[in-house]
Every structure is written in structure tokens, then in C-alpha cells.
Amino acid sequence: MAMALALSRQAIGLSDPNPRVGCVITDAQGHLLGAGHTQQAGGPHAEVMALRDVLARGHGEEALVGAHVYVTLEPCAHHGRTPPCCEALSAARVGHVHIALADPNPLVAGKGRRHLESAGIRCELGLGADEAREINIGFLSRMVRGRPYVRLKIAASLDGRTALPDGRSQWITSPAARQDGQWWRQRAGAILTGIGTVRDDDPRLDLRLPTGETPPLQPLRVIADSRLETPLTARILQAPGKVLLVHAREATEPAALDAAPPAASTPQSHSPTNELDTARAAGTAWPAGVECLALPQTAAGVRVGAGVGAGAGVGAGVGGGSAGGVAGSGADADTRFFLAGRASSENSGATPARVDLVALMSELGRRGINELHVEAGATLNGALLQAGLVDELLVYLAPKLLGDGRGMAALGLLPDLQAAPRFELLECSPVGDDVRLRLRRPELGF
């Protein structure tokens, strides 16, 4: 199973939205016959790759009869882009299947194991389950909660500053820490940032492998930009990869707003109010690969209640992802203040519209995003934390003291210590001159 788990890690950055699965086949004495891992979506799954590898190594089909199979996730039992893996294993007449983790996908959920057992194949569940869960924690989140596993990355000084007061932040952490951050980007199906970071830092936020190789998949880059203020020249809008530009839908705006970049049109008579209007007025369009999406709006200070569902609260309901149906999703069990947006908007005197982050998470889950990597500023960080949407903190601390400067998250004034978002330490590791901390919410709900 250790070899199968190692193989499943090779599917990171390759198999999304499908789970990362490794499979090893041995004879009854434990001699290796074949091995493989999940390929890109639409390609062979781990079990099929392992079965093919048995033949590629010169073993005949008879070698599979009675063989032992070690697989890190329950073999699929449904026809999707590929046929069911449980049928391939039963057709090969293997004798024993060791499964690390049950698949919560409603299209599988025990069906794969039952199919194998009905074919007379012995199945055992649980060997290597903890590690298999960590490798596929985003897939499990999407299947059970209907939304991605959210990992919030922060680079800060020892006194918790992410930038100087004027916004300068390059570079607080070491090159080793920045390179390490690329590995965490590779795990993600999408990278989220806010309009403030786009304007202040003009980041690319694409995946750049330390090896210099072209990644098989570029994470979707998502910008939370309630008023569509992203400059058309922003580097994040450029290739490689696709961009989802999410803004708040006005109360009078139809639900089906432009889902594609604006086309050239006759200049408007009114003064442009945002980059979308500017583009239309100038007859220009968003760069290729940019999708503009309107989501429901909420205002600063709106409370997001427990168990948001259809017809109640913010972000009601969630549909299935590309790898199968999912359960409904809502906010935390605790009622929290939802704060978001730019201070400049709040100073205007009007109640500012905000992108509903719960609805955004549901939308990303519907699009098949398993892990969401967040690299944003204090405002969006605080909004996500106070909405109870952050599952994991990835914090790089540099051995520096910056004094006055920008903080990690704008949490506002907490009524008491009990209201503070709480996390448990998973890991503390040196990375170059810095320290990397990983912390997780005590209860994930899956």
C-alpha cells in the first residue's frame, strides 16, 4: 500500500477533478506484477493503468488470477468518461483487493466494493486510510460538503506583518519559501485572490514548476472583484490558464449576466463606472480565457447562518461536480460575521455590495474544484475566516520584524476570545530561512 500511496501523489496536478489514486498489483507471495496511477481526466484510472502494466511487464493474463490489488480509493462503479474499474478488476479475476479509503462519491459509495465481493473477490478496507485521506482531502470535501477544501496561504514577518504600510511586500520570505509555495499551488484546482491584491501587487498567480517543465494543468485563477475594477492590463488576466472574474450581481440585474468577455459595441453615453463598462465603451474585450461571472451579492455585516440551504440565507444550494453528485453545503455551524470588500468602498457612505463567498465556494464545487488555494490580502483573508470557509492555514514566517504594516487578516473587533477562529497545528517545518506552519480547523465536517 505504501507504493500505491506514493503513486497516488504522482497524480497531484494531473488528475483533477478526479481523485488522486494509486494502484499496485502483486501475486499471492507479494511479488510486484504491475502498478499505475490516475491519468488526466478522461484518461485511464489507476486500476486500469496497473492492469496494463502487468501485461507490459511480460506477464500473461493468467498472472492476474488470484492476484492481490492495493488501491488507495474504492474502485469506481459507474460509467463516466471511462468504464467502471470494479468491472475491470472482476473481469481480470483478481483474488483480493485492499482498499485504503471508501469513496464518498454518491455514484460509488460502496458500490465498487459490493460489485467485487459479489464476484467472489475478497475486499479489505482501511489500510493506509489516513494518508489516502490527506492526498484526496479536496476531493472528499467536494463530495461531502459540495465545496472545495480551502487552504489560505500567508507570508509574514514574526510580528504578523504581510507588507509595509504602503503595501510593499517583495520579498518578506526567502526564495525557498516562494518555491515551496508553488508546490501547494500545484495541489489546487483554483487559486483565489481579491481585487486589492490585483491592484497592489499585479501578480500572475500561475503555476511555475521549479523544474521549469510545463504543468499538465494550470489552476483556474479566480478574482473576487465585486465592482469589476480589475484592470484590463492586469498580469493575472494573461495566459497561461483561464481566469474567472467574479463580481456581485446588482439587485436589479438579471441572473444571466454576461458569462463571456464583453464584445465590441457602440460606445455608451454614460461615463464608465468599471472596467467592464470601460471595455464596452472602448470597443475592446477581456483577454482570451477570461470568464466574467456574476454571483449574488451580500453587504458588509451580513450574518451567514448555520447550515445554509435552499431558500434560506446566503449561497443557498449546491449542485454536483464533474466527478459525481455532492451533498449540500452551507456555512459553519457557528454563526459568524461576513466581512468583505475594500475600505475605499465602505468610505463612500453607501452599503457596499460584496461577492457572496459561500455562493462562490458552491460554484467552484460545481465546477469540479477540489482544493482552493488562496493568496490574497487582509480584507479577503478576514472575510473567508469570519465566514468559516478556511479549512487550512499555510503560513510562512520570516525571521524579520516589520513593525507597523499590514496584517494577516482583517477580522475586525471580536466580542471575546471565544469568537476567535481556531486552528490546530499540523506541521512546523523549516523552509530555507523561514518556518512553514500548517494549521487546520478542528472540525471539517467530513
Side-chain angles (χ1 to χ4, degrees):
M1 186 62 78
M3 182 178 179
L5 289 165
L7 284 167
S8 71
R9 294 189 201 97
Q10 295 183 28
I12 292 175
L14 175 68
S15 65
D16 280 17
N18 292 332
R20 303 145 181 172
V21 183
C23 182
V24 173
I25 302 176
T26 73
D27 62 19
Q29 290 72 44
H31 301 121
L32 179 66
L33 297 176
H37 63 77
T38 310
Q39 301 299 298
Q40 286 181 287
H45 291 187
E47 298 90 332
V48 172
M49 292 295 293
L51 290 170
R52 290 179 181 178
D53 191 44
V54 171
L55 302 180
R57 290 172 183 261
H59 304 291
E61 291 184 357
E62 65 278 2
L64 289 166
V65 178
H68 284 239
V69 178
Y70 299 82
V71 63
T72 60
L73 190 69
E74 180 181 359
C76 65
H78 62 288
H79 285 270
R81 295 185 179 98
T82 59
C85 291
C86 62
E87 293 183 3
L89 292 175
S90 61
R93 295 182 293 165
V94 301
H96 197 151
V97 178
H98 307 264
I99 303 168
L101 199 65
D103 189 344
N105 184 344
L107 298 176
V108 183
K111 297 183 181 71
R113 183 179 177 184
R114 289 194 293 272
H115 175 92
L116 293 170
E117 290 175 336
S118 67
I121 298 170
R122 182 181 174 187
C123 293
E124 292 186 18
L125 181 68
L127 180 63
D130 290 343
E131 189 170 350
R133 180 177 185 271
E134 290 299 318
I135 293 168
N136 276 307
I137 196 163
F139 177 78
L140 300 177
S141 172
R142 182 166 66 87
M143 289 296 107
V144 176
R145 303 187 301 180
R147 68 169 180 86
Y149 182 83
V150 178
R151 182 178 292 111
L152 174 57
K153 181 247 183 179
I154 298 173
S157 61
L158 286 178
D159 50 351
R161 301 304 182 186
T162 61
L164 296 176
D166 61 5
R168 284 178 292 165
S169 61
Q170 298 182 344
W171 297 102
I172 291 177
T173 53
S174 65
R178 299 196 296 275
Q179 186 177 80
D180 186 72
Q182 292 291 329
W183 188 86
W184 294 97
R185 285 186 185 180
Q186 187 179 15
R187 284 193 62 118
I191 300 172
L192 171 66
T193 194
I195 178 59
T197 298
V198 170
R199 290 192 298 204
D200 291 346
D201 298 341
D202 194 21
R204 288 165 51 186
L205 290 185
D206 58 330
L207 173 60
R208 300 182 294 278
L209 296 178
T211 60
E213 299 175 271
T214 300
L217 294 175
Q218 273 288 346
L220 173 70
R221 288 167 291 174
V222 183
I223 307 171
D225 179 5
S226 60
R227 299 192 302 172
L228 273 177
E229 297 172 321
T230 298
L232 296 175
T233 56
R235 296 201 302 165
I236 195 172
L237 301 183
Q238 309 304 317
K242 296 182 178 180
V243 175
L244 183 64
L245 186 57
V246 182
H247 63 102
R249 185 165 62 234
E250 297 294 339
T252 57
E253 194 172 358
L257 186 84
D258 300 333
S265 62
T266 304
Q268 304 293 309
S269 58
H270 66 281
S271 299
T273 58
N274 56 37
E275 289 293 340
L276 179 59
D277 286 342
T278 302
R280 286 172 169 157
T284 58
W286 297 107
V290 177
E291 178 186 354
C292 185
L293 175 68
L295 285 181
Q297 68 174 351
T298 186
V302 170
R303 288 185 182 271
V304 178
V308 177
V314 181
V318 58
S322 60
V326 295
S329 174
D332 247 340
D334 297 328
T335 300
R336 303 174 185 270
F337 273 114
F338 179 93
L339 300 175
R342 298 279 294 173
S344 59
S345 299
E346 294 170 357
N347 293 335
S348 66
T351 301
R354 309 292 188 229
V355 171
D356 180 347
L357 295 178
V358 175
L360 174 57
M361 296 305 149
S362 296
E363 172 65 19
L364 293 177
R366 188 188 68 80
R367 290 171 179 247
I369 302 301
N370 294 328
E371 294 186 28
L372 177 66
H373 182 85
V374 182
E375 295 191 25
T379 299
L380 182 54
N381 290 350
L384 290 165
L385 285 163
Q386 293 197 321
L389 294 173
V390 176
D391 299 307
E392 183 175 317
L393 293 175
L394 178 67
V395 182
Y396 295 89
L397 290 179
K400 302 172 183 176
L401 298 171
L402 297 188
D404 290 342
R406 300 188 178 182
M408 294 184 179
L411 294 175
L413 181 63
L414 298 178
D416 51 52
L417 290 176
Q418 297 303 314
R422 298 180 62 187
F423 292 84
E424 295 177 346
L425 182 64
L426 293 179
E427 175 193 358
C428 179
S429 303
V431 179
D433 296 331
D434 308 311
V435 173
R436 183 185 67 205
L437 302 176
R438 288 181 57 225
L439 307 101
R440 179 173 293 165
R441 290 178 58 197
E443 298 293 335
L444 294 178
F446 66 94

